[in-house]
C-alpha cells in the first residue's frame, strides 16, 4: 500500500516536471518551507520546479496573500498559520526552516514542536552556529522529532536554482530527505553530480558551512588585495583590471568570486558615471560567520590565519573615521618608482594570488581534519571538496584538485603535502614574495597575502623559533619544555 503511494507520488512528480501549463495536484505537501525571505522563497520555488508539492508559510502574511494571487499555477499549499501548514504536510513531515538565525528560529521551533509527530524532520538551513545546532538537535530529538542542521551556500541564486548543501544530523532522517536534496542541489558541471552529501552527525553540517565562510572571507580579502595592487601600485584603470580578472578566470584561478569581481569592476554607477567600486564606501560588513570560523580555529589550535586577517581587515575597515584622521598624520613610505613591465607584473600578482588561495584552502580543509580528531566526526574532505565545486560562493576549479588530493590519500594532513599543491606553492612562492615585499615597501596593504607567506614559511620549516618561546615561558613561569634528545617534561633553573 505504502509502496504504491510512493510510486504514485514519483509519477506525479515526473509528470509535473514535464507539464508546464497545468499541474497534477496532490492533497498533501511533500515538503514544507517556513520563512519566505530570499532563501526560503528560492528553496520553495526550486522544490516546486522539481515536481514537489510545497507547503509554505511565513510570519508576515502579505507575501502569502500575494503568492496566492500570482502563483496560481504552481503546486503550492499556502497557509497563513502554522497549524494549517503542519496539517497540510504528508507524514513524516519534512520542514525546512529559513527563519533568521537566533531568536526567530527558536520561536518558530518552539511553536512547531507541539504540532508535530514523532518521526517528522526539521531542517534548519540558516547560518546557525554549530554548537547551537548540536544543542537544538539534543533538545528537539527528545520529542522524537529529527533535526538536520544544514549549511547552505549560494545565496539567492543558489536557493532558487541549486545551492551547495551541507546537511548534518541523524542518518535515518537524512536518508528520507536525500533524494529531495539531490533534486534541488546545484549540479557540478564536470560530472553533473549533485552538490550535497551527508556530512556527519549533529552540528557537523553547520560546522562545515562556517569553515566554508571562513574560506570565503579569505578569498574575498585576497582578491581585494590583488585589485588594490593593480589599482594603486600599477595605477591601472579599472576597466583594465576587470579584463585581467576576466583573463584569470579562464585559467587556474577560475572561480565564482574571480568571475563576479571582473563583472563588478565592469559596472558603472548610473548617477555619476563612475565605476561602481568607486562609489561604494570602503567599510565592509560582516554577519559573523567569518569570526566564528576564526574562533573555532583558535579553540581547536589550528592556524586559520588568512581568514582571521580577513576578519580583522573588515573590522579595521569599520574604523573609517579614525582612518580619515590617521591619513592626515601617518605618512606613506617613499614610493619606489621602479618601472616594471605591467604584463609581467600582473602575472606575478596572479601567481601570488593563487599561492595565497592554496594556503587559505589548505588551512580550511586542515581545520575539517582537526575537527574529526576533536569531535570524533568523519568529515570527508574529498566529499566536501566535491560539493563545493558548484552552487556555493567559493566554487572554484581548485576544488577539483583538492578532491583529487584527498581521493588519492584520505589521511592527507594538509593539501600542501600533495604533489600538485607542493609543486605550485614551491614554484609560485617567488612571485608571492616579490609582490608582497614590493607592496610592503610601498605601503600598499597586503595583509592576507603576507599572512599566507607567513604560514608557508613556518609550515615548511622543520625548525622554527618556538624553542625560544618555550625557554622564555620556562624562565618566567616554570612552564617546562620538552627536550630534543630526551622524552619528558623539563624545567631549567635559569
Ligand atoms: C553563502 C554565504 C552567505 C553569507 C554571506 C554574507 O555561502 O551563501 O556565505 O551564507 O551569509 O556571504 O556573509 P558576511 O555578511 O559575513 O560577509
Amino acid at each position: 500500500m505504502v509502496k504504491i503511494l510512493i510510486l504514485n507520488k514519483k509519477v506525479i512528480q515526473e509528470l509535473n516536471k514535464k507539464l508546464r501549463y497545468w499541474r497534477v495536484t496532490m492533497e498533501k505537501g511533500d515538503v514544507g518551507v517556513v520563512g519566505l525571505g530570499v532563501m526560503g522563497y528560492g528553496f520553495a520555488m526550486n522544490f516546486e520546479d522539481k515536481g514537489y508539492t510545497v507547503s509554505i508559510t511565513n510570519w508576515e502574511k502579505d507575501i502569502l496573500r500575494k503568492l496566492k494571487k500570482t502563483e496560481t499555477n504552481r503546486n503550492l499549499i499556502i497557509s497563513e498559520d502554522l497549524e494549517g501548514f503542519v496539517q497540510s504536510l504528508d507524514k513524516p513531515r519534512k520542514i525546512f526552516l529559513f527563519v533568521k538565525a537566533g531568536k526567530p528560529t527558536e520561536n518558530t521551533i518552539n511553536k512547531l514542536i507541539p504540532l508535530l509527530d514523532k518521526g517528522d524532520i526539521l531542517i534548519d538551513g540558516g547560518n546557525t552556529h554549530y554548537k547551537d545546532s548540536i544543542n537544538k538537535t539534543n533538545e528537539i530529538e527528545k520529542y522524537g522529532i529529527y533535526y538536520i542542521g544544514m549549511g547552505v551556500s549560494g545565496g539567492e541564486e543558489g536557493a532558487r536554482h541549486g545551492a551547495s548543501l551541507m546537511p548534518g544530523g541523524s542518518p535515518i532522517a537524512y536518508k528520507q530527505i536525500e533524494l529531495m536534496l539531490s533534486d534541488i542541489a546545484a549540479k557540478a558541471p564536470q560530472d553533473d553530480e549533485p552538490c550535497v552529501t551527508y556530512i556527519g552527525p549533529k552540528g557537523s553540517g553547520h560546522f562545515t558551512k562556517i569553515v566554508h565562510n571562513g574560506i570565503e572571507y579569505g578569498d574575498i580579502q585576497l582578491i581585494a588585495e590583488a585589485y588594490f595592487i593593480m589599482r594603486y601600485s600599477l595605477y591601472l584603470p579599472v576597466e583594465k583590471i576587470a579584463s585581467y580578472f576576466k583573463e584569470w578566470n579562464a585559467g587556474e584561478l577560475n572561480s565564482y568570486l574571480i568571475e563576479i569581481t571582473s563583472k563588478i569592476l565592469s559596472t558603472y554607477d548610473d548617477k555619476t558615471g563612475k565605476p561602481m567600486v568607486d562609489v561604494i564606501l570602503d567599510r565592509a560588513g560582516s554577519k559573523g560567520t567569518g569570526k566564528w570560523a576564526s574562533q573555532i580555529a583558535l579553540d581547536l589550535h589550528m592556524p586559520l590565519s588568512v581568514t582571521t586577517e580577513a576578519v580583522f581587515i573588515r573590522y579595521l575597515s569599520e574604523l573609517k573615521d579614525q582612518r580619515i584622521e590617521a591619513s592626515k598624520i601617518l605618512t606613506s613610505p617613499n614610493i619606489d618608482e621602479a618601472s616594471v613591465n605591467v604584463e609581467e607584473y600582473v602575472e606575478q600578482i596572479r601567481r601570488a594570488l593563487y599561492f595565497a588561495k592554496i594556503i587559505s584552502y589548505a588551512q580550511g580543509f586542515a581545520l575539517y581534519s582537526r575537527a574529526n580528531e576533536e569531535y570524533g566526526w568523519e568529515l570527508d574532505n574529498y566529499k566536501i571538496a566535491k560539493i563545493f565545486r558548484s552552487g556555493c560562493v567559493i566554487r572554484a576549479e581548485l576544488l577539483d584538485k583538492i578532491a583529487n588530493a584527498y581521493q588519492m590519500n584520505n589521511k592527507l594532513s594538509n593539501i600542501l603535502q600533495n604533489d600538485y599543491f607542493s609543486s605550485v606553492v614551491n614554484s609560485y612562492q617567488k612571485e608571492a614574495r616579490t609582490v608582497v615585499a614590493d607592496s610592503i615597501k610601498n605601503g600598499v596593504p597586503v595583509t592576507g597575502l603576507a599572512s599566507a607567506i607567513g604560514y608557508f614559511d613556518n609550515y615548511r620549516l622543520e625548525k622554527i623559533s618556538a624553542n625560544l618561546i618555550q625557554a622564555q615561558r620556562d624562565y618566567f613561569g616554570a612552564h617546562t619544555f620538552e627536550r630534543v634528545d630526551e622524552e619528558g617534561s623539563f624545567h631549567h633553573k635559569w
Side-chain angles (χ1 to χ4, degrees):
M1 183 67 181
V2 172
K3 269 190 181 159
I4 292 169
L5 189 71
I6 292 168
L7 200 74
N8 282 343
K9 252 188 186 177
K10 281 200 168 163
V11 172
I12 290 169
Q13 282 167 6
E14 277 312 308
L15 269 175
N16 281 338
K17 273 187 208 171
K18 290 187 183 118
L19 301 172
R20 287 193 55 200
Y21 298 110
W22 60 277
R23 295 259 161 183
V24 178
T25 314
M26 292 184 298
E27 283 176 358
K28 294 274 185 184
D30 302 301
V31 56
V33 175
V34 184
L36 294 176
V38 281
M39 296 304 283
Y41 177 81
F43 264 76
M45 295 303 157
N46 191 353
F47 273 123
E48 205 275 344
D49 282 348
K50 304 296 176 328
Y52 292 91
T53 298
V54 190
S55 295
I56 53 174
T57 192
N58 193 52
W59 289 119
E60 184 53 60
K61 307 299 169 215
D62 282 358
I63 179 165
L64 297 172
R65 290 171 197 150
K66 210 165 114 199
L67 287 175
K68 265 186 194 163
K69 284 189 199 139
T70 56
E71 303 294 338
T72 47
N73 65 345
R74 283 188 175 270
N75 262 344
L76 298 174
I77 303 175
I78 303 174
S79 307
E80 292 198 16
D81 55 82
L82 275 185
E83 289 79 2
F85 166 78
V86 169
Q87 278 163 22
S88 76
L89 283 161
D90 222 2
K91 293 182 198 173
R93 302 177 180 93
K94 291 119 191 148
I95 301 176
F96 286 77
L97 300 173
F98 284 103
V99 185
K100 260 201 180 138
K103 271 267 164 284
T105 303
E106 207 122 291
N107 285 342
T108 310
I109 293 175
N110 291 342
K111 292 210 164 79
L112 270 173
I113 285 181
L115 306 172
L116 299 178
D117 292 302
K118 285 195 170 147
D120 287 347
I121 306 166
L122 288 180
I123 303 112
D124 173 6
N127 274 331
T128 303
H129 194 285
Y130 80 104
K131 287 191 175 162
D132 287 340
S133 196
I134 293 173
N135 292 338
K136 266 189 210 138
T137 316
N138 294 340
E139 239 169 74
I140 290 167
E141 296 199 345
K142 275 197 288 202
Y143 301 96
I145 297 160
Y146 292 113
Y147 174 89
I148 296 280
M150 185 171 77
V152 175
S153 177
E156 190 174 353
E157 174 69 15
R160 183 67 187 85
H161 300 291
S164 173
L165 307 174
M166 300 149 240
S170 153
I172 300 166
Y174 176 71
K175 270 282 154 227
Q176 298 180 65
I177 55 168
E178 185 174 20
L179 192 67
M180 56 171 62
L181 292 183
S182 301
D183 280 342
I184 58 150
K187 308 291 176 296
Q190 299 90 328
D191 47 24
D192 215 32
E193 272 187 38
C195 290
V196 57
T197 189
Y198 176 65
I199 296 288
K202 56 189 170 193
S204 61
H206 280 131
F207 182 95
T208 303
K209 175 64 183 1
I210 293 174
V211 178
H212 164 285
N213 279 30
I215 296 173
E216 176 185 307
Y217 270 59
D219 266 353
I220 291 174
Q221 176 63 29
L222 295 172
I223 291 172
E225 289 176 11
Y227 152 77
F228 209 76
I229 302 167
M230 287 192 268
R231 186 89 192 261
Y232 298 105
S233 254
L234 296 180
Y235 305 107
L236 296 179
V238 178
E239 61 270 21
K240 189 72 193 154
I241 302 173
S243 76
Y244 281 126
F245 275 107
K246 195 168 174 205
E247 254 175 50
W248 292 358
N249 198 40
E252 57 198 356
L253 272 172
N254 173 267
S255 63
Y256 170 70
L257 285 168
I258 294 279
E259 181 193 333
I260 66 164
T261 303
S262 148
K263 289 180 179 162
I264 289 166
L265 296 175
S266 309
T267 306
Y268 291 82
D269 178 37
D270 291 338
K271 213 158 113 189
T272 58
K274 290 183 184 165
M276 271 311 294
V277 73
D278 286 349
V279 298
I280 297 174
L281 189 69
D282 57 342
R283 183 154 56 197
S286 50
K287 296 212 183 77
T289 44
K291 175 188 78 179
W292 288 348
S294 298
Q295 287 172 331
I296 289 170
L298 288 169
D299 286 343
L300 298 189
H301 288 222
M302 284 300 279
L304 195 73
S305 50
V306 179
T307 297
T308 306
E309 288 294 4
V311 175
F312 285 156
I313 296 301
R314 287 202 197 184
Y315 293 171
L316 208 151
S317 82
E318 291 172 13
L319 308 176
K320 178 73 182 176
D321 295 343
Q322 280 188 47
R323 286 192 286 119
I324 291 171
E325 288 312 308
S327 70
K328 294 174 192 156
I329 47 173
L330 304 176
T331 58
S332 302
N334 292 327
I335 307 288
D336 184 0
E337 293 285 6
S339 68
V340 291
N341 176 313
V342 169
E343 290 292 321
E344 279 171 19
Y345 204 83
V346 167
E347 172 56 13
Q348 295 197 325
I349 300 170
R350 189 193 69 78
R351 290 184 184 206
L353 180 55
Y354 194 51
F355 169 91
K357 184 180 171 83
I358 290 172
I359 300 289
S360 177
Y361 280 62
Q363 294 181 341
F365 276 82
L367 187 52
Y368 289 136
S369 306
R370 177 77 188 88
N372 286 340
E373 289 167 17
E374 183 74 15
Y375 297 121
W377 291 339
E378 289 177 4
L379 301 181
D380 182 334
N381 285 352
Y382 164 69
K383 287 188 182 160
I384 292 175
K386 282 189 88 173
I387 65 164
F388 286 171
R389 292 179 306 156
S390 185
C392 68
V393 175
I394 65 166
R395 59 186 183 258
E397 200 178 289
L398 175 73
L399 284 154
D400 257 326
K401 305 216 161 57
I402 296 178
N404 285 344
Y406 284 109
Q407 190 176 32
M408 281 196 271
N409 175 7
N410 66 359
K411 297 270 177 291
L412 194 64
S413 52
N414 188 307
I415 58 166
L416 298 182
Q417 310 247 2
N418 164 270
D419 284 350
Y420 168 76
F421 290 111
S422 59
S423 74
V424 177
V425 290
N426 281 339
S427 132
Y428 286 12
Q429 62 172 305
K430 183 168 175 282
E431 290 83 359
R433 291 180 197 285
T434 303
V435 169
V436 167
D438 290 349
S439 301
I440 289 176
K441 251 186 3 208
N442 291 335
V444 174
V446 284
T447 322
L449 291 167
S451 84
I453 295 179
Y455 174 87
F456 177 73
D457 279 339
N458 280 290
Y459 188 73
R460 74 184 170 78
L461 282 174
E462 190 188 330
K463 270 197 179 148
I464 55 176
S465 57
N467 48 354
L468 184 57
I469 295 172
Q470 283 298 77
Q472 292 174 78
R473 291 178 67 246
D474 190 60
Y475 190 107
F476 62 70
H479 292 297
T480 74
F481 52 85
E482 293 169 291
R483 292 183 62 95
V484 294
D485 51 2
E486 209 179 320
E487 290 265 323
S489 170
F490 299 88
H491 168 61
H492 184 77
K493 296 209 177 318
W494 295 98

